[in-house]
Amino acid sequence: MTFEGSVNIAMKIPAAQYPETVAFYRDVLGLPAKDVTGTDIAAGVSRSVRVEFGPNVLWLDEVPNYSRSDVWLELSTDDLPDAMRRLAEAGVVARDELEPLPDAMRAHWIANPAGVVHLVAQA
């Protein structure tokens, strides 16, 4: 069983800073950005923009009830059950209450000791 950093980074952004944050990445930095609002965005997210961030995908998600921005990262693993056992042995528990995942997705939310959320997903 192995862990690897994955391509997805999500920035959860308060509604008050959302338009300016999207404009920063799209207009100021000139990164390719696509509004995916109205498609399959996560529960609790009002709007979402997909930004090509080098080899990564930066998801800019508007979250109306947030008071500050938060960054979420993704890890991939080749064996999700074994990965979750290893994490549990280290005292890391699944935090699947943070945001619903699609039923077909083999993944769990966790948080590091500093509180940074990670999605652990089967590769």
Side-chain angles (χ1 to χ4, degrees):
M1 187 280 309
T2 60
F3 289 105
E4 290 184 8
S6 193
V7 299
N8 290 304
I9 301 167
M11 188 178 298
K12 307 296 183 171
I13 304 163
Q17 288 91 34
Y18 190 75
E20 295 83 7
T21 302
V22 170
F24 173 78
Y25 288 97
R26 182 192 58 220
D27 304 333
V28 175
L29 297 180
L31 298 176
K34 179 180 180 184
D35 188 335
V36 296
T37 303
T39 60
D40 191 23
I41 62 174
V45 172
S46 296
R47 295 184 281 179
S48 188
V49 170
R50 182 186 193 278
V51 178
E52 292 181 29
F53 199 76
N56 297 323
V57 176
L58 175 61
W59 299 93
L60 303 177
D61 295 338
E62 179 188 48
V63 184
N65 61 344
Y66 270 35
S67 62
R68 63 176 178 82
S69 293
D70 206 4
V71 174
W72 294 17
L73 303 172
E74 182 176 347
L75 294 165
S76 64
T77 182
D78 56 349
D79 186 337
L80 184 62
D82 194 34
M84 295 309 293
R85 274 191 296 280
R86 179 173 167 189
L87 290 165
E89 289 168 3
V92 178
V93 298
R95 299 286 314 277
D96 292 339
E97 77 281 2
L98 295 174
E99 186 173 286
L101 294 167
D103 291 336
M105 188 172 193
R106 297 193 61 202
H108 294 283
W109 296 109
I110 63 165
N112 73 13
V116 175
V117 174
H118 292 67
L119 178 68
V120 180
Q122 179 87 32

